[in-house]
Amino acid sequence: MGNIVLVWAWWTGMSGVAGILQELWFTNIICIDSTQSQLTDNLQKKWFKVIIGHGIYQPKIDDAIIYSEAAVNSPEVTWARALISQEQKMMLIMNYFEFLGEVSKYFTTIWITGTNGKSSTTALAIYGAKDIPTFWLGILWAMVPDFNNQSYLINPNHKEEIKTIFIKIFTGKTPTAIDHKKLLFIVEACEYKRHFLHLDLDYAAITNIEYDHADYYKTFDDYKHAFKEMLTKLKQKCFVLQWFLESNPEFKLSQNIQEIPERQEHFDYIFWPHTSKNAALTLALLRTQDSSISTQKIQQFKGLRRRLEYLGTTQNWAKLFSDYGHMASSIVIGYQSLKQKFPDKKITAIFQPHQINRIFTGRDDFVQSFKGFDKVIIYDIYAAREDIAHFDFSKRGQNINSVEELWHNFANACWGTYSKERAEIKQQIEQADNNHIIAIFSAGDIDYEIRTHLSIKPSTI
């Protein structure tokens, strides 16, 4: 075969695939992205071939292309599809979840999904499963300190078997027989464009459901229906917390849903509440594989990067946190957790919106979510999967005609200010003193900018 080409490599899911392939002794990997990031920097440090800029590498007919949905229209994917037509030959080209769907056919697959909390719950499940003899692989969308700051974990005892399966997927051939469904695969699954329907599912957990991805799902009912479709594919059980069916009565007819009593688990290193609650889902999933799994097994879990991650202090001793939150409910959880931990501190929110559609759909919820903060700064949008230049504001029923006008209006409604200048954001952070907590909520690139260009002093919480 030719090269394995990973498009949109700065994303934690795709960089996780790169790491897995490298650990399985594949050397023909090319990682492509439009911009440099901490993850592309990390890939280069590990001797991956990294190309910054689309349109530089032209795929060959014997390459395997795996791409993020955010890069579905990239030159590499477009050229690969044209090459198939031109050469009249088959070529392996799949998005991330189509690839994981192929992987899942060979294993007992546990997946965790939901609008919020799925990354933390997936990481916790992988952490708890790592000593189960049948565990082989877990992958999620965040870097995990307990996994050597990777977004995946491999059982080293099963690498030969795992590589056999990957060779089968890439080439259609297998050097040795494959024992189907023998080993355990744990994966964070996304509902966007019904991607989780690609997976061959055995067990599942849903953390919660809130209306999201309004660029694809036009109604909340359609959004919920995607989860109901998933349940029709599930072979075994789906676990939810005890309030789930009361809030979502349309799921009561699903035969394979099982409610788990909600309880708070104690963690030595985590102080935000949703992970404590979702630990019950984790234990229920793990006990389907090993009934002896105990609460003590998961209590040492240290959490995730960019999930209310403490970065350290500024030069003026303000404490600085980074969170991936891009939903209003995530911002509320972040504020409540920080206020409970630091009741006497003033808290500043720096929010980088992720997609215009999400802001229009959840505008009132976002406005409410910022009410408790002492200061709010809205930074320029991170617009993955959206064409900002051609966004049609006329269909939104509001007197807004441009992106900049939208953000000024949104910032005013949130009792905050709007800035698209990174230097200004950096200055705001540097001026805060030891009476302040600064929380950066962003699924985008400002996190990398802060880590790279701001002087941060390591310290304990």
Side-chain angles (χ1 to χ4, degrees), residues 4-23 26-53 66 139 143 148-152 305 448:
I4 302 171
V5 183
L6 307 179
V7 187
W8 217 51
W10 87 272
W11 177 47
T12 47
M14 197 63 71
S15 66
V17 171
I20 290 167
L21 293 172
Q22 187 180 61
E23 287 204 29
F26 288 93
T27 59
N28 55 336
I29 306 164
I30 296 176
C31 302
I32 299 175
D33 207 286
S34 61
T35 56
Q36 186 179 4
S37 69
Q38 184 176 6
L39 287 177
T40 59
D41 289 349
N42 290 344
L43 291 170
Q44 287 177 316
K45 289 175 184 176
K46 294 175 182 177
W47 303 105
F48 284 95
K49 182 176 181 180
V50 176
I51 298 174
I52 302 299
I66 305 172
I139 187 168
M143 293 195 290
N148 195 28
N149 284 317
Q150 303 293 338
S151 60
Y152 65 90
R305 178 180 174 272
Y448 177 68

Side-chain angles (χ1 to χ4, degrees), residues 5 14 26 33 49 51 69 84 92 103 123 146 154 169 192 235 239 278 298 327 333 339 347 369 375 393 408 432 457:
V5 183
M14 197 63 71
F26 288 93
D33 207 286
K49 182 176 181 180
I51 298 174
E69 192 65 31
I84 293 172
L92 190 146
V103 174
D146 287 300
I154 297 178
I169 293 170
Y192 180 65
K235 297 182 178 68
F239 297 100
N278 290 335
I298 62 174
M327 296 284 292
I333 291 170
K339 198 63 180 177
I347 305 177
S369 73
K375 189 174 185 178
F393 288 93
H408 279 293
K457 296 182 290 189

Side-chain angles (χ1 to χ4, degrees), residues 6-133:
L6 307 179
V7 187
W8 217 51
W10 87 272
W11 177 47
T12 47
M14 197 63 71
S15 66
V17 171
I20 290 167
L21 293 172
Q22 187 180 61
E23 287 204 29
L24 297 177
W25 309 290
F26 288 93
T27 59
N28 55 336
I29 306 164
I30 296 176
C31 302
I32 299 175
D33 207 286
S34 61
T35 56
Q36 186 179 4
S37 69
Q38 184 176 6
L39 287 177
T40 59
D41 289 349
N42 290 344
L43 291 170
Q44 287 177 316
K45 289 175 184 176
K46 294 175 182 177
W47 303 105
F48 284 95
K49 182 176 181 180
V50 176
I51 298 174
I52 302 299
H54 289 297
I56 298 171
Y57 179 80
Q58 292 200 10
K60 312 298 187 294
I61 195 65
D62 58 347
D63 286 348
I65 311 293
I66 305 172
Y67 63 93
S68 161
E69 192 65 31
V72 65
N73 295 317
S74 67
E76 295 80 18
V77 177
T78 302
W79 287 341
R81 297 196 189 284
L83 193 60
I84 293 172
S85 176
Q86 174 186 322
E87 298 288 334
Q88 295 294 299
K89 293 181 180 179
M90 292 302 296
M91 177 183 185
L92 190 146
I93 176 169
M94 295 183 287
N95 69 34
Y96 172 83
F97 269 107
E98 288 171 335
F99 175 67
L100 293 190
E102 290 299 310
V103 174
S104 69
K105 292 175 182 178
Y106 298 94
F107 306 97
T108 297
T109 301
I110 290 176
W111 68 265
I112 293 100
T113 193
T115 312
N116 282 312
K118 53 181 173 283
S119 294
S120 299
T121 308
T122 305
L124 186 59
I126 296 169
Y127 178 83
K130 58 186 169 56
D131 295 325
I132 296 176

Side-chain angles (χ1 to χ4, degrees), residues 148-412:
N148 195 28
N149 284 317
Q150 303 293 338
S151 60
Y152 65 90
L153 190 68
I154 297 178
N155 186 331
N157 298 322
H158 295 300
K159 284 188 177 181
E160 291 289 352
E161 296 168 273
I162 298 166
K163 184 166 187 179
T164 293
I165 291 159
F166 277 61
I167 291 173
K168 168 71 171 177
I169 293 170
F170 288 130
T171 69
K173 302 173 183 178
T174 175
T176 58
I178 297 173
D179 191 350
H180 286 65
K181 295 293 183 181
K182 173 187 173 184
L183 301 177
L184 179 62
F185 176 35
I186 301 176
V187 59
E188 176 180 355
C190 181
E191 70 280 12
Y192 180 65
K193 287 192 174 180
R194 291 172 163 81
H195 281 158
F196 51 21
L197 298 183
H198 289 299
L199 298 170
D200 191 69
L201 304 171
D202 295 287
Y203 296 91
I206 302 174
T207 57
N208 66 338
I209 293 181
E210 301 174 34
Y211 184 32
D212 195 15
H213 300 300
D215 57 323
Y216 174 73
Y217 296 103
K218 300 310 177 187
T219 66
F220 194 13
D221 286 341
D222 186 32
Y223 183 77
K224 288 185 177 183
H225 189 262
F227 289 86
K228 293 174 71 175
E229 284 183 87
M230 174 277 298
L231 291 172
T232 65
K233 291 191 62 180
L234 190 68
K235 297 182 178 68
Q236 302 294 335
K237 291 181 180 178
C238 176
F239 297 100
V240 295
L241 294 176
Q242 62 187 16
W243 48 261
F244 181 87
L245 292 179
E246 182 179 345
S247 302
N248 304 280
E250 58 268 60
F251 286 85
K252 288 182 178 179
L253 296 178
S254 301
Q255 299 298 312
N256 46 8
I257 275 192
Q258 181 175 330
E259 284 193 318
I260 301 299
E262 184 176 302
R263 52 178 291 181
Q264 290 278 357
E265 301 290 353
H266 170 74
F267 290 89
D268 292 342
Y269 301 98
I270 298 173
F271 63 89
W272 53 97
H274 63 288
T275 301
S276 300
K277 293 179 181 179
N278 290 335
L281 297 175
T282 297
L283 291 171
L285 287 169
L286 295 180
R287 285 167 182 163
T288 65
Q289 308 301 307
D290 183 346
S291 60
S292 68
I293 294 288
S294 66
T295 302
Q296 290 71 30
K297 179 73 177 173
I298 62 174
Q299 285 178 333
Q300 296 298 307
F301 177 64
K302 295 182 178 64
L304 308 183
R305 178 180 174 272
R306 294 185 70 178
R307 299 316 189 268
L308 216 58
E309 176 192 3
Y310 180 56
L311 302 182
T313 66
T314 67
Q315 294 303 302
N316 284 335
W317 301 103
K319 293 185 182 294
L320 186 62
F321 290 81
S322 179
D323 191 271
Y324 193 74
H326 50 280
M327 296 284 292
S329 54
S330 301
I331 294 167
V332 171
I333 291 170
Y335 173 78
Q336 291 174 343
S337 301
L338 290 170
K339 198 63 180 177
Q340 182 177 0
K341 183 72 174 177
F342 307 103
D344 298 326
K345 301 285 189 180
K346 294 182 177 181
I347 305 177
T348 294
I350 299 173
F351 176 51
Q352 182 178 28
H354 180 18
Q355 296 193 325
I356 298 174
N357 275 294
R358 185 175 279 120
I359 297 301
F360 270 113
T361 303
R363 185 180 188 278
D364 292 343
D365 291 332
F366 276 110
V367 169
Q368 291 298 314
S369 73
F370 288 111
K371 271 193 169 181
F373 288 93
D374 297 280
K375 189 174 185 178
V376 176
I377 302 169
I378 306 299
Y379 180 61
D380 211 20
I381 188 172
Y382 173 63
R385 302 193 302 263
E386 282 185 327
D387 183 359
I388 296 180
H390 299 96
F391 191 86
D392 189 355
F393 288 93
S394 65
K395 296 180 179 179
R396 296 298 174 170
Q398 299 181 29
N399 189 26
I400 293 174
N401 300 304
S402 69
V403 174
E404 189 149 335
E405 189 176 340
L406 169 65
W407 297 132
H408 279 293
N409 181 283
F410 178 62
N412 289 337

